[in-house]
Amino acid sequence: MAGKKTAKVPLAAYERELLRLQTELVRLQEWVRTEGARVVVVFEGRDAAGKGGTIKRVAEHLNPRVAQIVALPKPTERERSQWYFQRYVEHLPAAGEIVLFDRSWYNRAGVEHVMGFCTKEEYQLFLRQCPIFERMLVEEGVLLRKYWFSVSDAEQQKRFRRRLKDPTRRWKLSPMDLESITRWEAYSRAKDEMLVHTDIAEAPWFVVESDDKRRARLNMIAHLLDSVPYHEVPPPVLELPRRPPSKGYERPPRDLQTFVPDHAASL
């Protein structure tokens, strides 16, 4: 459950601070690129807790060749036969890269466990191996940050209702999401058990209260920036060259090309 209710962040203040934080994220990106750092950010939490919207704001102004969003589909039959963490290792960053996991290996501690998609033995093995796996990442020099987005049951249902009515958001709502309503307490117990085993000193969990999406986005991004010891990297000095004089090039006639219709003219 999220904490006590606070006033929502005003839109103007939110947009102003978001732009400032996103500018800092670009500076962080350049530091990661030039220093060869490796950053992994794990986004977990309840359905409709605001993970996707926050990831969108984090990555909005970043270079997709540096900052990659990883949102894996359900595993294939071949992947089911692999070591559980194997499919995630494939997506870990190389030097100079940031990886944002839109859900991660913690699927096993949440939906797979609650919905019975893994065995009790597989679940217990995950809880034993996960801290070891994450310590290995940290020892290897990976900067690992883990965020849990917490939303109240009332706010979650409001967001589900909005998704049902909004055709541009309807795709965000799946039968699995609706199932989470009837299994609220089961997911709560699973989250508590997960934190007991995986909230380790080397890779602690940070809880983001997200009933107010604006506040959640600002708080998460600000925390991420504060947690990484980056510094500003001076950009290279660039000057636009002068365009050389024409050597007689002429564009081909317009009727030799197919243009998209001018839909905007009908507005």
Side-chain angles (χ1 to χ4, degrees):
M1 300 287 287
K4 63 181 181 180
K5 191 175 182 62
T6 54
K8 288 195 173 184
V9 177
L11 179 59
Y14 163 73
E15 291 179 341
R16 181 172 60 251
E17 179 62 8
L18 178 61
L19 180 58
R20 187 190 73 81
L21 292 172
Q22 288 176 324
T23 303
E24 285 300 315
L25 284 171
V26 173
R27 295 191 177 104
L28 169 65
Q29 168 192 260
E30 290 308 297
W31 174 83
V32 168
R33 186 179 60 81
T34 58
E35 295 293 328
R38 291 168 292 172
V39 178
V40 171
V41 186
V42 169
F43 293 81
E44 292 287 347
R46 299 276 191 179
D47 295 317
K51 301 180 296 297
T54 303
I55 293 170
K56 178 180 178 180
R57 272 68 181 186
V58 169
E60 188 171 7
H61 298 293
L62 301 183
N63 184 342
R65 294 185 179 89
V66 175
Q68 305 163 25
I69 300 173
V70 175
L72 299 183
K74 65 180 182 180
T76 64
E77 286 302 314
R78 181 175 184 275
E79 288 171 333
R80 290 179 189 276
S81 70
Q82 297 173 343
W83 176 48
Y84 176 71
F85 294 94
Q86 189 168 338
R87 69 195 296 248
Y88 297 100
V89 169
E90 179 182 349
H91 297 277
L92 292 175
E97 294 179 350
I98 302 169
V99 173
L100 311 173
F101 277 101
D102 186 355
R103 295 201 179 277
S104 66
W105 45 88
Y106 281 100
N107 276 339
R108 175 137 296 177
V111 64
E112 289 191 15
H113 171 56
V114 173
M115 300 301 296
F117 297 155
C118 67
T119 66
K120 182 178 179 180
E121 291 74 22
E122 289 172 331
Y123 170 68
Q124 293 295 336
L125 181 62
F126 170 84
L127 293 180
R128 290 198 302 272
Q129 289 187 341
C130 185
I132 300 171
F133 173 67
E134 292 181 351
R135 287 189 181 102
M136 290 173 64
L137 295 181
V138 174
E139 289 173 0
E140 176 62 22
V142 173
L143 298 173
L144 175 61
R145 302 294 181 267
K146 304 185 310 193
Y147 293 97
W148 176 269
F149 284 71
S150 176
V151 65
S152 66
D153 52 352
E155 180 62 25
Q156 184 192 56
Q157 292 204 47
K158 286 181 183 177
R159 293 175 184 177
F160 282 165
R161 292 190 192 100
R162 286 198 294 268
R163 290 180 179 183
L164 276 173
K165 296 178 181 179
D166 186 345
T168 67
R169 298 183 182 185
R170 182 63 181 79
W171 63 271
K172 292 184 176 183
L173 197 58
S174 69
M176 198 70 66
D177 295 327
L178 299 179
E179 185 75 21
S180 68
I181 296 176
T182 61
R183 297 177 185 250
W184 179 271
E185 290 192 2
Y187 274 104
S188 296
R189 294 189 184 96
K191 182 262 294 183
D192 293 343
E193 186 74 7
M194 178 194 76
L195 292 180
V196 167
H197 289 85
T198 64
D199 187 18
I200 59 178
E202 297 87 345
W205 276 104
F206 297 100
V207 178
V208 181
E209 293 185 332
S210 61
D211 272 15
D212 179 354
K213 288 184 178 182
R214 297 173 189 168
R215 185 181 301 274
R217 293 165 186 167
L218 297 179
N219 289 345
M220 180 269 150
I221 297 173
H223 181 274
L224 174 63
L225 290 166
D226 287 343
S227 75
V228 178
Y230 74 99
H231 57 80
E232 185 169 6
V233 177
V237 177
L238 301 175
E239 292 185 7
L240 290 177
R242 298 183 66 177
R243 190 181 300 277
S246 172
K247 295 182 179 180
Y249 170 78
E250 294 184 5
R251 290 185 177 182
R254 287 180 60 89
D255 58 7
L256 295 181
Q257 302 176 49
T258 303
F259 293 86
V260 298
D262 188 4
H263 169 75
S266 67
L267 301 180

